[in-house]
Amino acid sequence: MTTESALNKRPEETATTQVERTRSRPYFYPNVDIIETADELTVLADMPGMRPDDVDIQFENGTLTIHGTVHDRQPEGTSYLRREYGVGDFYRTFQVSELIDASKINAAYENGVLTLHLPKAEAAKPRKITVTSK
């Protein structure tokens, strides 16, 4: 199983129907790296300005959804001389192979990077078959 077959591309890169977001504030697609080993998929998502409490991760029916809310860094009414940092939610959805053991998914957030470990189910792991002679 390759990474391409395990996870779909960004929503803007696919021709499939997208779910429309209906939020009053902007949202961003975090950049991700996806690494596949024999035992798991690891997703690294850049989500700066988050607090771990503000990250919501759902895995249901083979769909992995990452949603994070970033709060304003300055109080409302702040007078900026220049403002380049956009504040909004992070949102990303992936269609994941059913061969993930959902009960063992875990996540950590450190230095602006969300790390998700999606362990493969035992049936999906490669195994060596011993050949015997008669």
Side-chain angles (χ1 to χ4, degrees):
M1 169 167 70
T2 66
T3 303
E4 276 299 312
S5 66
L7 301 171
N8 283 339
K9 296 179 182 180
R10 292 181 126 182
E12 65 270 17
E13 295 174 353
T14 63
T16 60
T17 304
Q18 297 181 37
V19 174
E20 293 292 326
R21 303 292 295 163
T22 57
R23 299 193 57 101
S24 60
R25 57 190 277 146
Y27 65 95
F28 305 97
Y29 293 106
N31 291 326
V32 299
D33 289 332
I34 301 168
I35 302 161
E36 181 175 20
T37 65
D39 295 326
E40 71 176 10
L41 297 176
T42 303
V43 178
L44 304 165
D46 290 336
M47 299 172 67
M50 301 287 309
R51 295 187 303 242
D53 298 1
D54 295 326
V55 179
D56 181 38
I57 302 164
Q58 301 287 323
F59 184 75
E60 184 176 356
N61 297 325
T63 300
L64 174 69
T65 302
I66 302 169
H67 178 249
T69 303
V70 177
H71 301 282
D72 289 326
R73 298 187 301 175
Q74 302 298 324
E76 189 175 322
T78 298
S79 178
Y80 292 91
L81 293 175
R82 182 176 184 106
R83 185 174 187 183
E84 295 180 352
Y85 182 81
V87 176
D89 294 350
F90 288 104
Y91 181 81
R92 198 74 191 265
T93 301
F94 299 96
Q95 198 63 42
V96 181
S97 167
E98 306 80 38
L99 301 177
I100 298 297
D101 187 345
S103 67
K104 295 182 181 176
I105 295 174
N106 65 71
Y109 181 78
E110 185 175 3
N111 297 326
V113 179
L114 175 68
T115 303
L116 287 164
H117 296 278
L118 292 88
K120 293 179 181 177
E122 287 300 318
K125 293 181 183 177
R127 68 178 205 261
K128 178 150 177 74
I129 312 283
T130 305
V131 178
T132 59
S133 64
K134 291 185 178 186

